[in-house]
Amino acid sequence: MRDAVVIWRRRRSPLCRPTDLAEAWVALVAALLLVTAAPAVGWLTGSLTEDALRQSLRAQRHQRHPVTAEVTGPGGAAAAAFRDDPAAADGRHRVRASWTAPDGRVRSGTVATALRAPRAGDRFTVWTDASGRPVPRPMDEEAARVHAALAGVGAWAVSALLVESARRLVLWRLVRRRFARLDRAWAAAGPDWGRTGAGS
């Protein structure tokens, strides 16, 4: 950017080439985009993501219901099927339990519980859909905000990377054009350049 400022100050100099001015303009436009457009893209993406997550959160709260389940026994052999389940990663246990679904039917099955030492008769909360099938708990608002913030930061970073990549690509093309002109000028001088009486 500093080089672009120097070029801009010397733009009226006869030694300032058109490619130098183009380079200064490209640097200025890239700086403006990095300061204005990239943050705007990040903010817009974060806002849209937060709106979408809030709608999803409302739908999840409407479709998922907390019910009280009662432990009827250990998870037993069925728990082996859940070895790769995220429930095992956060210290939860698989148990056999029964609960009353929102539609009034009694359901039972193997579910995850946060109880440290579950025993028959212990009660805990299970999230279910309208028919009583176990479902993950709804996303909380804090998680939605974090996801939206991460989406906004990611969009800002990608936008900034695209602007910088475009600036470097244009700069590369300008340098190649500058070298091509220099090669043509050098070729026009010919092999007689610098010889006495060669007219140069």
Side-chain angles (χ1 to χ4, degrees):
M1 188 66 187
R2 189 178 66 220
D3 294 340
V5 171
V6 170
I7 291 169
W8 185 253
R9 286 182 183 163
R10 297 180 182 166
R11 65 186 181 276
R12 302 211 194 295
S13 169
L15 298 177
C16 187
R17 299 165 290 199
T19 54
D20 293 335
L21 284 177
E23 185 178 332
W25 277 110
V26 167
L28 177 64
V29 169
L32 289 175
L33 288 174
L34 287 173
V35 171
T36 58
V41 168
W43 177 82
L44 183 62
T45 302
S47 297
L48 292 175
T49 303
E50 186 174 11
D51 290 345
L53 287 175
R54 283 185 186 278
Q55 288 179 1
S56 177
L57 183 62
R58 282 193 292 272
Q60 286 179 5
R61 286 181 176 167
H62 180 70
Q63 296 166 353
R64 300 177 186 185
H65 311 280
V67 297
T68 301
E70 183 176 335
V71 177
T72 58
F82 299 103
R83 222 175 272 137
D84 296 329
D85 193 347
D90 63 7
R92 292 187 290 172
H93 300 281
R94 288 275 173 187
V95 295
R96 294 282 304 163
S98 64
W99 60 90
T100 302
D103 62 4
R105 290 186 294 174
V106 175
R107 304 288 298 256
S108 64
T110 302
V111 293
T113 178
L115 296 172
R116 290 187 182 267
R119 294 186 306 256
D122 288 346
R123 294 177 177 270
F124 61 98
T125 300
V126 173
W127 287 87
T128 69
D129 60 12
S131 63
R133 286 182 303 228
V135 294
R137 69 178 296 134
M139 181 189 310
D140 60 0
E141 290 192 20
E142 184 63 28
R145 279 194 294 272
V146 168
H147 282 82
L150 289 174
V153 169
W156 167 79
V158 168
S159 300
L161 182 64
L162 287 174
V163 168
E164 179 60 17
S165 298
R167 185 191 72 81
R168 287 179 182 265
L169 179 63
V170 171
L171 184 61
W172 176 74
R173 295 290 303 258
L174 288 172
V175 168
R176 284 183 56 103
R177 184 180 300 173
R178 187 180 300 157
F179 286 157
R181 285 183 180 166
L182 184 60
D183 287 343
R184 285 194 301 273
W186 217 202
D192 294 332
W193 181 82
R195 284 177 47 193
T196 305
S200 53

